[in-house]
Amino acid sequence: VSAGPRSIASWVARNPSRYRRLSHADRWPGSPNMTLRIYRLHIICSIFSVLFTAAISVMPVVAQAGEVQVAVAANFTAPMKTIAAEFTKETGHTVAMTFGATGKFYAQIKNGAPFDVFLSADDETPKRLEKEGQVVAGTRFTYATGRLALWSPRANFVDPQGEVLRSGNFAHIALASPKLAPYGAAAVETLMKLGLMATLEPKFVLGESIGQTFSFVATAAAP
């Protein structure tokens, strides 16, 4: 069930000598009438543009393939693997991806982690890094939007209205750490608005990222 605020995913570049500011045509159009197919195509084209700009900037003088170091929020793992594979196939450049929690990447970048591109699960973290002078000003843009979801591997356990949350008919509820992951913070915000925080908080099992949280539920580590 979709609930709570949307997560606005944003990318940002880290080395001022390597990146141009994306033109308006490269930016996310945000049209509510856009078809899903065009929506996906724009994501791919936008990220291809980012990766290609980064790749050619790290190439040595002798023409050969470059490698881009990319920090990717865990919620974008599957699409990014597909996009990176297609990018390498089309350009010959490789993408070294690190997947994890947005909050952890923030700390790593502050401490000098050598990422060329950061794909965040929200727009606030890149904005903060930009204000703190940790990334290239003007390179930040929204590449996708997401919705919070309630899910269980048990067939028909989660109802479309999410009334299962009020029933309390479960031992645990897994969510990403609200201190590290934007989706975790959105989940807590939603439960507070529903008046369920006090009831459900004792049942929380916190994952470091949304990827780890999904694993908890899928493997029955948080039944």
Side-chain angles (χ1 to χ4, degrees):
V1 57
S2 297
R6 292 191 178 203
S7 174
I8 307 299
S10 180
W11 93 282
V12 68
R14 298 213 53 228
N15 190 324
S17 67
R18 293 180 178 177
Y19 303 96
R20 64 177 173 82
R21 179 168 181 167
L22 294 182
S23 70
H24 178 74
D26 293 318
R27 292 176 180 273
W28 191 260
S31 170
N33 298 319
M34 186 179 298
T35 66
L36 183 59
R37 185 173 180 180
I38 296 176
Y39 191 80
R40 289 173 175 169
L41 180 61
H42 191 86
I43 290 177
I44 294 170
C45 290
S46 296
I47 295 179
F48 259 44
S49 175
V50 171
L51 295 177
F52 186 75
T53 303
I56 61 175
S57 69
V58 298
M59 288 173 60
V61 177
V62 179
Q64 55 183 321
E67 181 178 78
V68 188
Q69 300 289 330
V70 185
V72 186
N75 64 290
F76 204 63
T77 297
M80 189 59 200
K81 285 181 177 179
T82 301
I83 291 171
E86 287 296 319
F87 175 77
T88 298
K89 180 181 177 181
E90 291 292 329
T91 68
H93 303 303
T94 58
V95 183
M97 296 171 287
T98 303
F99 301 100
T102 293
K104 279 213 161 184
F105 285 136
Y106 169 81
Q108 290 172 9
I109 290 171
K110 290 277 289 183
N111 285 297
F115 296 120
D116 298 307
V117 175
F118 174 32
L119 295 173
S120 173
D122 66 357
D123 59 348
E124 291 302 318
T125 303
K127 189 183 298 183
R128 194 184 326 155
L129 287 167
E130 186 176 32
K131 287 181 179 179
E132 294 168 350
Q134 297 293 322
V135 297
V136 184
T139 60
R140 177 170 51 85
F141 81 97
T142 298
Y143 66 88
T145 58
R147 287 184 180 272
L148 195 63
L150 181 63
W151 176 80
S152 171
R154 294 168 55 184
N156 303 316
F157 184 70
V158 173
D159 60 288
Q161 291 74 37
E163 289 300 319
V164 64
L165 292 174
R166 299 187 186 279
S167 75
N169 187 28
F170 48 88
H172 301 97
I173 180 169
L175 61 153
S177 170
K179 294 182 178 180
L180 297 174
Y183 279 94
V188 167
E189 181 182 343
T190 299
L191 292 175
M192 290 180 69
K193 286 184 177 180
L194 292 173
L196 297 173
M197 186 66 179
T199 303
L200 297 182
E201 189 171 14
K203 299 185 178 187
F204 282 2
V205 176
L206 299 181
E208 190 172 272
S209 68
I210 196 65
Q212 186 182 58
T213 304
F214 172 78
S215 179
F216 285 165
V217 181
T219 61

